[in-house]
Coordinates of all heavy atoms in Angstrom, one line a residue:
G626 N 16.2 -47.5 -28.4 CA 16.0 -46.9 -29.7 C 15.9 -45.4 -29.7 O 16.5 -44.8 -30.6
K627 N 15.2 -44.9 -28.7 CA 15.1 -43.4 -28.6 C 16.5 -42.8 -28.3 O 16.8 -41.8 -28.9 CB 14.1 -43.1 -27.5 CG 14.0 -41.6 -27.2 CD 13.1 -40.9 -28.2 CE 12.8 -39.5 -27.7 NZ 12.0 -38.7 -28.6
R628 N 17.2 -43.5 -27.5 CA 18.6 -43.0 -27.1 C 19.5 -43.0 -28.4 O 20.2 -42.1 -28.6 CB 19.2 -43.8 -26.0 CG 20.5 -43.3 -25.6 CD 21.2 -44.2 -24.6 NE 22.5 -43.7 -24.2 CZ 23.6 -43.9 -24.9 NH1 23.5 -44.5 -26.1 NH2 24.7 -43.5 -24.5
N629 N 19.4 -44.1 -29.1 CA 20.3 -44.2 -30.3 C 19.9 -43.2 -31.4 O 20.7 -42.7 -32.1 CB 20.2 -45.6 -30.9 CG 20.9 -46.6 -30.0 OD1 21.7 -46.3 -29.1 ND2 20.6 -47.9 -30.2
T630 N 18.6 -42.9 -31.5 CA 18.1 -42.0 -32.5 C 18.6 -40.6 -32.1 O 19.1 -39.8 -32.9 CB 16.6 -42.0 -32.5 OG1 16.1 -43.2 -32.9 CG2 16.1 -40.9 -33.5
E631 N 18.5 -40.2 -30.8 CA 19.1 -39.0 -30.3 C 20.5 -38.8 -30.6 O 21.0 -37.8 -31.0 CB 18.7 -38.8 -28.8 CG 17.3 -38.4 -28.5 CD 17.1 -38.2 -27.0 OE1 18.1 -38.1 -26.3 OE2 15.9 -38.2 -26.7
S632 N 21.3 -39.9 -30.3 CA 22.7 -39.9 -30.5 C 23.1 -39.6 -32.0 O 24.0 -38.9 -32.3 CB 23.4 -41.2 -30.0 OG 23.2 -41.3 -28.6
A633 N 22.3 -40.3 -32.8 CA 22.6 -40.2 -34.3 C 22.3 -38.8 -34.7 O 23.0 -38.1 -35.5 CB 21.8 -41.2 -35.1
E634 N 21.2 -38.2 -34.2 CA 20.8 -36.8 -34.6 C 21.8 -35.8 -34.1 O 22.2 -34.9 -34.8 CB 19.4 -36.5 -34.0 CG 18.3 -37.2 -34.7 CD 17.0 -36.9 -34.0 OE1 16.9 -36.3 -32.9 OE2 15.9 -37.3 -34.6
R635 N 22.4 -36.0 -32.9 CA 23.4 -35.1 -32.4 C 24.7 -35.2 -33.2 O 25.3 -34.2 -33.5 CB 23.6 -35.4 -30.9 CG 22.5 -34.9 -30.1 CD 22.6 -35.4 -28.6 NE 21.4 -35.1 -27.9 CZ 21.4 -34.2 -26.9 NH1 22.5 -33.6 -26.6 NH2 20.3 -33.9 -26.3
E636 N 25.1 -36.4 -33.6 CA 26.3 -36.6 -34.4 C 26.2 -36.0 -35.7 O 27.1 -35.3 -36.2 CB 26.6 -38.1 -34.5 CG 27.8 -38.4 -35.4 CD 29.1 -37.9 -34.9 OE1 29.2 -37.6 -33.7 OE2 30.0 -37.7 -35.7
L637 N 25.0 -36.2 -36.4 CA 24.8 -35.5 -37.7 C 24.8 -34.0 -37.5 O 25.3 -33.3 -38.4 CB 23.5 -36.0 -38.3 CG 23.5 -37.5 -38.7 CD1 22.1 -37.9 -39.2 CD2 24.4 -37.7 -39.9
F638 N 24.2 -33.5 -36.5 CA 24.2 -32.0 -36.3 C 25.6 -31.5 -36.0 O 26.0 -30.5 -36.5 CB 23.3 -31.7 -35.1 CG 23.1 -30.2 -34.9 CD1 22.5 -29.4 -35.9 CD2 23.7 -29.5 -33.8 CE1 22.3 -28.1 -35.7 CE2 23.5 -28.2 -33.7 CZ 22.8 -27.4 -34.6
R639 N 26.4 -32.3 -35.3 CA 27.8 -31.9 -35.0 C 28.6 -31.9 -36.3 O 29.4 -31.0 -36.6 CB 28.5 -32.9 -34.0 CG 29.9 -32.5 -33.6 CD 30.6 -33.6 -32.9 NE 30.8 -34.8 -33.7 CZ 31.8 -34.8 -34.7 NH1 32.5 -33.8 -34.9 NH2 31.9 -35.9 -35.4
R640 N 28.4 -32.9 -37.2 CA 29.1 -32.9 -38.5 C 28.7 -31.7 -39.3 O 29.5 -31.2 -40.0 CB 28.7 -34.2 -39.2 CG 29.4 -35.4 -38.7 CD 29.1 -36.6 -39.5 NE 29.6 -37.9 -38.9 CZ 29.4 -39.1 -39.3 NH1 28.6 -39.2 -40.4 NH2 29.8 -40.1 -38.7

Side-chain angles (χ1 to χ4, degrees):
K627 176 79 171 179
R628 182 185 178 284
N629 289 344
T630 301
E631 283 181 15
S632 297
E634 287 174 350
R635 287 170 187 247
E636 175 62 22
L637 290 172
F638 186 69
R639 187 193 63 74
R640 287 182 187 175

